[in-house]
Amino acid sequence: MIRDLIDKIPKSREQIFAYPMKWEYLDDAMIETRIKPWIAKKVVLALGEQEPDLTTFICECVKKRSDPKKLVLDLSMVFDEEAESFITKMFRLIIYETEAKYKGLSALSSTTGSST
């Protein structure tokens, strides 16, 4: 079931950015346990060191349901050409997590270690 969900998530930037998000399923616990650690890891990979303020800023943008295109612009100063890829992958993760919770798979997904 999880594999089917992953296969149904769009892969192109255009489809991901246009996806009808189930924001009502994104809560603080999901952000803290699934989204924030992913962001922190990707920030370290991109910049070579932890940037807690940047990680917090991005999490706040997610909580505010920021437009992905605006986030790409906002983060391009930090991530350069990697901003679009970063935001696309992050939104794909958000789609996965919210869809999994919507379908009742969230308890399963947190134990499988799957990530985007």
Side-chain angles (χ1 to χ4, degrees):
M1 289 169 55
I2 291 172
R3 177 58 45 201
D4 289 341
L5 174 59
I6 291 170
D7 291 342
K8 290 178 184 174
I9 296 172
K11 292 173 180 54
S12 76
R13 180 188 69 86
E14 294 78 17
Q15 291 175 321
I16 290 169
F17 287 5
Y19 194 85
M21 299 290 258
K22 291 181 173 59
W23 289 111
E24 64 273 19
Y25 291 94
L26 182 71
D27 57 20
D28 289 341
M30 184 184 293
I31 290 172
E32 286 299 315
T33 61
R34 302 291 291 161
I35 309 300
K36 187 175 183 176
W38 184 91
I39 291 170
K41 177 181 163 187
K42 296 299 182 182
V43 166
V44 169
L45 288 173
L47 304 179
E49 61 185 348
Q50 291 183 357
E51 293 288 343
D53 291 340
L54 178 59
T55 300
T56 300
F57 169 76
I58 297 168
C59 287
E60 289 300 316
C61 290
V62 170
K63 286 179 186 178
K64 293 176 186 174
R65 304 175 181 185
S66 294
D67 179 71
K69 293 174 189 169
K70 182 182 180 322
L71 275 175
V72 169
L73 292 174
D74 290 347
L75 295 175
S76 63
M77 291 182 279
V78 177
F79 290 104
D80 297 321
E81 67 276 351
E82 297 296 317
E84 186 173 299
S85 174
F86 173 82
I87 296 302
T88 301
K89 289 175 183 175
M90 181 180 74
F91 268 75
R92 193 162 193 269
L93 173 65
I94 294 168
I95 291 168
Y96 169 77
E97 291 296 339
T98 55
E99 289 290 334
K101 188 171 184 178
Y102 169 73
K103 295 177 186 283
L105 302 174
S106 60
L108 296 172
S109 65
S110 63
T111 59
T112 61
S114 62
S115 64
T116 308

